[in-house]
Amino acid sequence: MPGERNERTELKSSADWLETHSLHHCGLTLSHLLSLCSHSQQAGGCDRSSRQLWISATALQDFELQLYRAIEMYHSRIQWLSQDSMRVFGVVKGSKLGVLIDTSDVSSSSDRLPDLQHNLLRLIEEQLCAKEQLYLMSFNTEVNSLRHEPRDVNAVRLQEAREWVLKLDAAGGCNLLEAVKRALTHTQLNSLLIILNSCPAQHTDVVCDYLSQCMLGRDLAVHSVAYNSSRAETIHTVKRLASATGGQYHLFSAALGVVEGSTDLDLLWGEIKAAREVLCNVEKMQQCLTKDPMLTLSGEVLTDLERLQLCDSGLIPHTHAAPLNIQPAEPLPTTSSDWLETHGLSAQRLDLYQLLAPNAYSPLKEFVPILGKTVSSTVHERAMDQCEWHDRTVKNVHVNLPLLYNYQRQLGHAMAMLERRILWLSSTNSRQIWGSVCEQRVNILVEMSSLNVHYRPYIQHFLRLLLQEQLANTQYFNVILFGSDIVQWKEQAVPSEPENLQAVWQWMRCREFEGGRDTLKALRFVLGGPPEEEESSLSGGIYLLTSGVPEEEMAVAAEYISERCSVRRQKLHVCLFTGEDMPSCPLPCYATPADNATALHQLAHAGNGRFHWVSTTGIIESDDIRILIDEMEKAVNYWEKASLLVDSLTQRCRGSAPEESLSPTESVLALSTQSRGRRERLPPPRHTTLTQARLLLKEKSQSPQAAKTWRPNSAKANIPPARPVHGWGPVDSVSLSKQRGVKVSQSVFYMEDGQLGMVFKTYSKPKSVWKLITPLKLPKTEEICSTKRWLKRFGINKLKLDLHKLVSGPECTHQKTLVPAIRKTVSAQYCCIFPSVQLNGRVCHLRLSCGELRQYLTETDRLLRRYCQRMQWLLKGSRCVFGTVLEKAVCILLDISGSMAPCLPQLKRDLGSLIWEQLHKQRVRFSLVAFSGEIRVWRFTLTEASDEECRDAVQWLEQLTTHGATSTVEALQTACGFADSLGVYMISDGRPESSCSLVLRETERLTAEKHITIHTVSVNDQDSTANEFLQNLAHMTGGRFHCTPAEADARAANKVLADGFREGEEPELPEFQSDDLRRLKEEIDKLRLFQQQAKVFRLMFFYISL
């Protein structure tokens, strides 16, 4: 076999080997064969032209020869895998390997143990000698290892391994769980080889759950082998270990000397089976070539051809004259919303807050009269963990580790089920285009207007797929075509029988594309008539396939559809198809594909249906898939919160132990030990005031009798006042605790001379400033507000991601003290334990763990992507030129002085985009004012941004010409007269004709006692003096200054934001003068700096561990 010698040294698994030797990689699949065919066009037929495939006999023979060679190559690899140690144990992956060998007396008897030892020696000679590190362990009732730690592989270590294998002895049972626990404590291992001879003493689910939990966030390959065991329990255990960990399994029978099953062999046999299926199709094509040089596709080949991607328009089948390949009827599917009612997180009781609710408590805050202030409870710091609730409040939670581990396992199963559902929704072409057809009575409404004449092959193909794959599951159906006229196939819906499906396909192929897109008329035709008798008992649905919005007003159409669908109990599902590689129909000046999708989305929801948007490149938007993705995001959020609770509890339990060295069982034991260790002994009772007085008198009289008979001479005796006793706690030093702000405990004793002495026992540690990094909740849609306001909610400081604050607490201070004896400044003892970093001019100790830094990098990466998304939004369309319009009442001042002549034509087009994109979309009341030497006003009152008014405003702008000087004061006076609450957007290129200070003083007078905000837009980024004036004018009234970025800067910024900030690359964003863009860029630069520092901190942990 080619490359066999190299593979013996590399020892690739079949999965890795097939990445470069599979049928798809070698170009030997059926789709590759069909790509070799050419099309021949013939006139005639009701579908204008029919095409047949043609391929030369030589090309077909070469393809067949390559298939036979591929099958021979796969057989050769199977023979290679059936030799030597690979026949017994398979291909063992990983450079740092842990080997777990079952030596229980049930399997490793006196006659079977020598055979196992012989095969293990061959494994060492052939495969283990090429590893970097080895860790050998045998397990029966007890666990024994060759070394306590993994060792580097050399000649001495290999000889020790051979001697250790020869000394193996069979005894006891099979304690697999204990062996796995011992092996997983060595975090440097990246692969485990588990050799089982018998069934483990523990249940298989227990071992698999423990392995899957401990492998979270860890790259570990598990290879399980059933050696010479024919018991079904052992084989089931080996396969379950492989499926639970995503590893491989290998079944070897020593009695027969053959491999009974293996992951490596299964993959190769699958490729051989696929190659033989392609060979069958090749043989059928060769038989057709002997009769006719033009190739007519068989049903199976045609079906495979139809399953190709939509983006390859050349591969869309044109043999529509062939009969439909109708699939057998299946039970009707359900929508994703109905499916989630029985399979969602709430249905499976996997809501994290519902799980934690019985043990969650709100923090208590009570007013203490003695202190004169409200005090919060501190019990959670020692016994509970804090968790952010769904209502943004914080609760104290008792964490049950076994319960959370089981919850995470069930959550993983739910995630896998949601992924399978998404794959099922996109498994067939008809569901990719139409969604899932879920009703019993269906009307198919297809647009056949002249606007879709370029999409004719696509639409015919889409309808053919629907007839073949989904309509057979319904009970009744009908097809209605609309363009210039409305044509229905039958007067009433007919049963979904194969004959009717074939007939409607032949009828539809002969229809022409003509007329306009009168969608509302077609919907009235379907919904306007009286309901039929069957509609009362059967669920009904209308599936509309269109390529654009209706010609009528959307509000009227939505209201009509909502009323009629509720009366007839039908649902309207809208399927939007947009072709990106075909010439599209002309759209209104304010319409975009996204706007069309938004309008049709509202239309579908008005009819209580679903919206589906597909293009030639695949699915763009789907309600069925979107609701599943939302559920998956909720599950991921629950998973992260549960992981944070587990990490917080285990970290608190283990103290300074490393994070990876504590197993789930050990963390539970540590928690119980810590809770038992918190019990404190009661201190001895205090001395009363009278006893203290007697002891003081003893010091003076030195007579025990006098001390016993002491009494005050009179009622005026100077007896020390009694201190109030509040409990049996230790004596506190009130003054010292007030000075230092911490609590101390002390014990009191009496010396031989009678004096009172005190010993300070413990000092409580000051609280750390470190807080747990919680998952961020970032908005998915853009909010119309300024960057300053947006960063107040989602800035680095607000989200508590300032790295310098996280590592600059009192516990992180680097302490140095002068020691008089040696006359040197010496660091504290713990300075050598924690890494030291320099922040803001001082040295601090890094008290963050490696796991906390990893969590910090994950959250900051999400935040950085969200910042990039926000900046892309700000650089898009009219927002790039004028900024974001925030107010609902706006006056736009446009400078049309003589200096604006070079840029006025472009400004007119950009202002048209501003009117349609922002003012019209946000329903802003507005007016336009043009100023130069004179003032020209479009409307003297603020006007609603309707379609008619927007068009009139655009036409008014087209009439403007440049002339005269710049009368800025008069323009501001006119704008401030529109309303007392207003947003003024002044667009200019420079300084006014009058004094700048005069303009500022007049602006201050005009906006006094009014809610008027002036935003300035500069179209000249070269004049710094003029821009400074515009900036001062905007900031005086709390507005924003915007300077249109150069085209090159905007293009460079969009490229950097689209590519992202990859590791190892340091792209820089251009400098912006605009307030919104500048603030967001500064926040991005700050966040990237924190990320670089956090990565350096993680490397420090790595070097310390070395």
Side-chain angles (χ1 to χ4, degrees), residues 356 359-361 383-385 396-400:
L356 299 177
N359 296 321
Y361 306 92
M384 300 184 190
D385 293 275
N396 301 327
V397 181
H398 283 290
V399 179
N400 186 346

Side-chain angles (χ1 to χ4, degrees), residues 177-178 180-182 184-185 202 206-207 209-211 213-214 400-403 405 646 649-650 653-654 659-674 676:
L177 183 59
E178 185 62 29
V180 169
K181 288 182 180 179
R182 181 81 61 86
L184 290 179
T185 57
Q202 298 82 14
V206 175
V207 181
D209 289 344
Y210 183 85
L211 259 175
Q213 291 167 10
C214 294
N400 186 346
L401 279 181
L403 183 64
Y405 280 129
V646 172
L649 182 63
T650 52
C653 293
R654 66 171 171 259
E659 181 179 356
E660 294 80 7
S661 62
L662 198 65
S663 64
T665 308
E666 292 169 347
S667 60
V668 177
L669 295 176
L671 179 62
S672 60
T673 304
Q674 185 188 29
R676 289 195 300 268

Side-chain angles (χ1 to χ4, degrees), residues 571-574 603-611 623:
K571 297 181 180 180
L572 173 64
H573 310 285
V574 179
L603 197 68
H605 287 187
N608 300 323
R610 293 163 289 142
F611 175 70
D623 286 349

Side-chain angles (χ1 to χ4, degrees), residues 456-602:
R456 178 188 180 93
Y458 286 97
I459 293 176
Q460 291 183 349
H461 180 55
F462 295 164
L463 188 59
R464 178 184 178 91
L465 293 176
L466 180 66
L467 296 172
Q468 290 183 151
E469 297 176 359
Q470 294 199 68
L471 283 191
N473 304 331
T474 62
Q475 295 188 18
Y476 296 91
F477 81 100
N478 197 2
V479 177
I480 301 171
L481 310 178
F482 68 95
S484 58
D485 297 323
I486 300 176
V487 182
Q488 59 178 346
W489 178 54
K490 297 291 184 182
E491 294 294 333
Q492 294 182 351
V494 298
S496 302
E497 298 176 353
E499 297 80 8
N500 293 329
L501 295 175
Q502 298 284 1
V504 72
W505 168 243
Q506 298 298 330
W507 172 78
M508 191 268 179
R509 288 193 309 112
C510 301
R511 308 309 303 179
E512 298 293 336
F513 287 73
E514 56 186 4
R517 182 188 294 134
D518 197 349
T519 307
L520 185 58
K521 180 180 178 181
L523 291 173
R524 284 175 176 168
F525 179 82
V526 178
L527 297 172
E532 301 178 6
E533 297 180 358
E534 295 84 355
E535 291 187 12
S536 58
S537 58
L538 300 178
S539 59
I542 301 172
Y543 288 80
L544 170 64
L545 177 63
T546 182
S547 61
V549 296
E551 298 176 351
E552 299 80 12
E553 287 288 340
M554 291 302 302
V556 177
E559 183 177 358
Y560 173 79
I561 289 171
S562 177
E563 178 184 355
R564 295 304 301 170
C565 287
S566 59
V567 170
R568 300 194 56 163
R569 297 180 181 178
Q570 289 194 354
K571 297 181 180 180
L572 173 64
H573 310 285
V574 179
C575 306
L576 172 63
F577 171 69
T578 55
E580 299 181 0
D581 56 346
M582 296 286 188
S584 57
C585 59
L587 297 175
C589 58
Y590 58 89
T592 62
D595 295 333
N596 293 342
T598 303
L600 292 175
H601 191 275
Q602 297 174 357

Side-chain angles (χ1 to χ4, degrees), residues 887 984 1012-1016 1031 1033-1041 1075 1079:
E887 296 81 7
V984 179
I1012 295 179
T1013 305
I1014 299 178
H1015 309 276
T1016 56
Q1031 195 171 13
L1033 179 62
H1035 293 172
M1036 174 184 293
T1037 59
R1040 296 163 297 132
F1041 169 73
D1075 290 346
R1079 286 193 177 99

Side-chain angles (χ1 to χ4, degrees), residues 4 123 404 552 625 790 1031:
E4 182 176 346
L123 177 66
L404 276 183
E552 299 80 12
I625 296 179
W790 192 80
Q1031 195 171 13

